[in-house]
Amino acid sequence: MRTYRLAVVKGDGIGPEVTEAALRGMHAAARRCGFSLDTADVDLGAERYLRTGEVLDEGTVSALRTHDAVLLGAVGDPRVPPGILERGLIVALRVAFAQSVNIRPVRLYPGVQSPIRGVTAQNCDLVVIRENTEGLYTGGGTLAHAGTPHAVAVQNSLTTVAATTDTVEFAFRLAQERRRRVTLCHKTNILMHAGQLWQEVVDQVALRYPEVEHDYVHADAMCQHLPLDPGRFDVVVTDNLFGDIISDLGATVQGGLGLAASANYNVAGSAPSMYEPVHGSAPDIAGKGWANPAAAALSAALCLAGLGEREAALCLEAATASVLAELPSLAGPGMGSDTAALGERIAARVMDVDPAQHAGGGGSLMSALSRLAREGATAVI
């Protein structure tokens, strides 16, 4: 029997609750599809930092590297100053494990109501591919004369051909498996140097994929087009900062952050990829059972796809989608069930759901990612 080693960072706030729910669905999918998951809890997050003063150490990084994937619940706590966990843990792991591609699906599932009029399950199924290790997030900077009227802040941005090419190449490969359209999102009219590099890389990579169309949209224009006409887009490729912003806008379009999944993906398979819901730790509702575990379950489905387990990923996605369609509300006590009960419903549904009924019409992300993962594993071997 195939066995995958899965490191589990449950994290803070609602992280443990939604992660436990997602794991139930993963184990059910594994049973249905004939493999197993060997999970190991890893102590990372606010409690560890407050207890030890340490966010991440080399020994933990080395231990995580021995796993096939990392499942992350959520990190963040009001007792910890902003940036310490985000940069010291999440960004640090992305860089350490060369997770150069961030995958953010924006899909409205049948039965879920978008807050945007006219958006339906038939016209909202796109993927935002975000460069994950560079840009303003890792370019560094300085703050001189802090706390005075003469303070000066300099925030640098770093863009390399290597990381940009990895991201763009993956976007084109993914689009080739879907609806064969890539859109570059940037601000080439203002950020001319970085924008030119991105456009040149897209144009060069596009030569290797003549069957895939490509176009361009400014980041500010994307904020208009995405909610008004999401069906215009298939695979959107963009830099770190713009990707962070427009993917959260996409989450609103698809029904809210409680449905938003993500993958921090190592394209080469040289280190584990990390999968996490993007809703944050929500400490104000921790322990109340009000957190919707859908984003964690869909992130877990992405994890299964990233391991090459196509059928299991599709089953977990379909089970989650079918439970979502039954909820009277997408969050809080109005859901009609608490977090744990919803996790149990998803896991039970995994065992008999028909993935074909929830496949969508645009080329399934789960199918495409699992195929690319298998191709990558073959290339590494």
Side-chain angles (χ1 to χ4, degrees), residues 13-373:
I14 63 172
E17 302 169 52
V18 297
T19 303
E20 286 292 345
L23 283 170
R24 281 193 284 273
M26 289 187 81
H27 283 293
R31 289 193 299 273
R32 173 170 172 170
C33 299
F35 62 93
S36 65
L37 299 170
D38 180 10
T39 63
D41 288 341
V42 181
D43 179 24
L44 289 171
E47 292 299 336
R48 169 177 166 160
Y49 173 74
L50 292 168
R51 187 176 67 249
T52 67
E54 187 175 53
V55 178
L56 184 67
D57 65 283
E58 285 301 319
T60 302
V61 173
S62 298
L64 287 171
R65 193 179 292 276
T66 66
H67 291 78
D68 297 302
V70 179
L71 195 67
L72 173 64
V75 295
D77 189 292
R79 296 171 295 171
V80 179
I84 289 178
L85 295 173
E86 293 86 349
R87 294 185 67 87
L89 177 57
I90 297 175
V91 173
L93 287 176
R94 289 171 179 173
V95 173
F97 294 153
Q99 296 166 349
S100 59
V101 170
N102 183 272
I103 305 171
R104 284 287 298 271
V106 179
R107 181 180 176 189
L108 183 64
Y109 289 100
V112 176
Q113 183 70 44
S114 171
I116 310 298
R117 185 175 61 187
V119 175
T120 68
Q122 288 70 44
N123 69 3
C124 182
D125 185 0
L126 62 130
V127 186
V128 178
I129 300 300
R130 162 189 170 192
E131 196 289 314
N132 209 31
T133 60
E134 295 186 345
L136 281 165
Y137 286 61
T138 54
T142 60
L143 177 60
H145 312 299
T148 76
H150 306 291
V152 178
V154 177
Q155 195 79 48
N156 301 319
S157 181
L158 176 69
T159 305
T160 68
V161 168
T164 304
T165 301
D166 282 348
T167 307
V168 172
E169 183 87 31
F170 181 83
F172 272 84
R173 291 175 63 203
L174 185 64
Q176 189 168 245
E177 299 290 329
R178 287 172 48 88
R179 300 197 306 275
R180 300 190 173 185
R181 185 178 184 87
V182 170
T183 299
L184 170 62
C185 175
H186 210 278
K187 279 291 288 183
T188 56
N189 58 338
I190 298 296
L191 306 178
M192 293 182 291
H193 304 298
Q196 179 179 339
L197 188 151
W198 271 89
Q199 187 64 68
E200 289 177 351
V201 169
V202 167
D203 292 342
Q204 291 166 6
V205 172
L207 296 175
R208 298 196 289 274
Y209 299 88
E211 66 277 23
V212 178
E213 299 179 17
H214 69 284
D215 63 356
Y216 171 84
V217 64
H218 287 317
D220 46 351
M222 171 64 79
C223 292
Q224 177 182 6
H225 296 312
L226 178 54
L228 293 179
D229 186 17
R232 168 178 174 173
F233 303 105
D234 176 19
V235 176
V236 177
V237 64
T238 188
D239 86 336
N240 211 338
L241 178 61
F242 295 141
D244 196 359
I245 295 168
I246 65 170
S247 58
D248 277 3
L249 174 59
T252 298
V253 173
Q254 74 180 109
L257 284 175
L259 279 65
S262 78
N264 302 287
Y265 194 64
N266 177 300
V267 177
S270 59
S273 297
M274 182 168 64
Y275 303 84
E276 57 172 320
V278 299
H279 49 52
S281 60
D284 57 320
I285 62 169
K288 295 182 178 180
W290 290 357
N292 191 331
L298 293 169
S299 298
L302 279 175
C303 179
L304 294 172
L307 294 170
E309 294 291 346
R310 174 182 177 274
E311 182 183 357
L314 290 172
C315 288
L316 182 50
E317 180 188 31
T320 305
S322 68
V323 170
L324 278 173
E326 299 167 354
L327 299 184
S329 174
L330 293 177
M335 292 188 298
S337 296
D338 64 16
T339 308
L342 288 174
E344 292 168 1
R345 281 171 64 182
I346 291 170
R349 196 73 53 83
V350 163
M351 302 307 294
D352 57 16
V353 71
D354 179 5
Q357 294 183 358
H358 303 268
S364 164
L365 171 60
M366 300 300 172
S367 294
L369 180 57
S370 62
R371 178 170 176 176
L372 295 181

